[in-house]
Amino acid sequence: MDTSSLQRRDIASRAPVDAADPYEHLHVEDFAAPFADGRVGWREMVTVAGRTILSLDGPWRFVLDLHDEGLRQRWYAHDDTPVIAWAIPRDYDDGAWQTAPVPSCWNMQQPEWMYFEGSAWYTRVFDRPHGPPGERVFLRVGAANYEARVFLNGDFVGAHRGGSTPFFIELTGRLKDGANRLQIQVDNRRRPDQVPMNHTDWFNYGGLYREVGLVCVPAVFIRDFGVALAPGSGGARIAVDVTLSEACDIDAHVEIEGLAAHRLRIVGGFGRIEFEAAPELWSPRRPRLYEVRLKAGDDEVRDRVGFRDIRVAGEQILLNGEDIFLRGICVHEDDHAAGKTTSEADIRRRFEDARALGANFIRLAHYPHHERVAEIADEVGLLLWQEIPVYWAIDFANPDTFADADNQLREMIRRDRNRASVIIWGIGNENADTDARFAFMRGLAAAAREADATRLVSAACLINRERFRIEDRLAAVLDVIGLNEYFGWYEPLEGLAALFANSAPGKPVVISETGADALAGHRGPAGELFTEEHQAAVLTAQLDAVAATPYVRGIAPWILYDFRTERRQTHLQRGWNRKGLIAADKRTRKLAFATVAARYTALSAGHDGDASVLEPPLHPAKGVAT
Ligand code: GCU
């Protein structure tokens, strides 16, 4: 995306507040218009596999900006004139009177910021990296919720929307020797035409909540690459594809440690090769990873890749040709102290708890999680469902909303396409079955398959109420039917057996959500809502019904940990969804935890061809399966 045209716009030349008319900014409401066409997306991504990222994490200057004064008064155009030299007063200075850590959610920094929804400005300076001649410099933002606008030394250099995927903005040619001032405006307002829209059952955190850094690459660099078993090759062929930053013709070289080394001809910036190979296949029990090195011109990337095959046959899900049952659990990115910002320790704890539950599968709800999640899942041997937040009442008739969803989907796939642990791309959650929704999500299913032919596509569908069946026309374009059902909680448990008996989906079904709220420590009769006993009874009945239904090939109870949500306000919830099998402290296990763990052991003995016994426990120190 070329932003040079933007600089011809008057935005950069204009002073913070126009001396000719110091009140002009009070009467301009299209203040965001100059930044609408500078948006970056999946095409501008740069693979960071094996690259060094120059971290810009740490304390940034920070201010909340509820009324978008920053755009109205062009805070980005401020010079660093000290206040004693101001001829006209300003409403903002870059003063370090207040800072916020990057990465973090502003909601968690000060109590009065907890429910803030609006814009905020992050500012820091950094020295220009000094690399070889021709080197190119990109800003990488791991994630900003929801919309971000980026300014370098007073110039607008790009924008991004989508709250859970990385974005890249090229800074090459704009950097000064010495200190450069970087400003990022982040806006977490919820809007009906966004993805997700303005109504969700999870907390709306805001900020630069994942890492920020600089990526330096040669003039011609590897923008994207894929290494995987060739679909349909029965594990006997590997396919490698490479996309360069420029449409040039060069040779690339791929080396897979101990397995293969090949030259790959790149023409017009793209190359693909397939070759015979017999890698040890990756699976939860044997998460075998191979070191991969890819060189093209002056660039080199490295990754650790697992080779596995995932596909469906009839009503079965086959991992490396074996029928597998997905013993799952759902997780949000949420923490009582850190909000949506996660850490290596938080991720590994999540996996430890999932493994203790007997799970081999995790549904990462309801948006792409941190990139370290799939990387660590590759190491420890867990299967993942990863999705975009096409959640509830999306503005399905809006082409711009589709463009947002399509971009987030492709960004998610580009980022994680070499992660063996990811087996399912989820394209929606609990969306009403309308013509507009069907067209929108059929488009997303096609986009997912175009971007990645090696994985399954699913969505968390709802029950067909009229026919009381597992039936959704979207199923025609899905490989696996995800089904969210809450028999025993939102509706009587008796309906579950009737539903399963009344359905003939013809392809594998995974119960993508089911469960019940229980406040940890709230004990009582199993018939009393919100008790631990009731939650355990519901999940017992759910797992019994699943075990008796051959076309159900997985279940992921909602959810591993209680999580924050503004919309749950009974005295037993008080802003938290209590369906966790573990309380929000991520330590206190409820009765249902043991219930599910016991069932998963039994289930794995019956259904799961991949592991006659549960996957070996992890060693937290090493973080890998034995
Ligand atoms: C829905 C939704 C979840 C929500 C859950 C619940 O299925 O997908 O995001 O939290 O139900 O009601 O707890």
Side-chain angles (χ1 to χ4, degrees), residues 317-341:
I317 299 173
L318 303 181
L319 174 67
N320 301 329
E322 289 187 34
D323 174 23
I324 187 167
F325 183 83
L326 301 178
R327 307 186 305 275
I329 189 72
C330 294
V331 294
H332 257 306
E333 259 184 347
D334 187 87
D335 187 83
H336 61 90
K340 197 171 165 49
T341 300

Side-chain angles (χ1 to χ4, degrees), residues 486 488-490 515-526 528-539 558-563 568 570-573 576-584 588-593:
Y486 282 89
W489 182 248
Y490 294 121
D517 275 67
L519 175 64
H522 183 61
R523 309 301 297 269
E528 181 182 322
L529 299 190
F530 292 99
T531 62
E532 288 193 36
E533 285 79 0
H534 179 263
Q535 183 189 41
V538 168
L539 286 171
W558 188 258
I559 186 169
L560 186 57
Y561 305 120
D562 292 354
F563 62 94
R568 308 276 181 178
T570 68
H571 72 284
L572 297 157
Q573 295 163 308
W576 291 82
N577 185 308
R578 302 286 190 197
K579 294 187 181 68
L581 303 188
I582 300 175
T588 307
R589 291 177 178 178
K590 304 173 192 175
L591 284 179
F593 186 97

Side-chain angles (χ1 to χ4, degrees), residues 200-202 332 363 365-366 387 391-392 429-430 460 462 484-486 489-490 513-514 517 558-559 563 565 567-568 577-579:
T200 66
D201 191 33
W202 70 85
H332 257 306
R363 179 188 173 199
H366 282 295
E387 66 190 63
Y391 181 95
W392 289 354
N429 184 80
E430 294 194 350
L462 293 169
N484 288 4
E485 49 86 3
Y486 282 89
W489 182 248
Y490 294 121
E513 283 183 37
T514 190
D517 275 67
W558 188 258
I559 186 169
F563 62 94
T565 174
R567 59 189 287 272
R568 308 276 181 178
N577 185 308
R578 302 286 190 197
K579 294 187 181 68

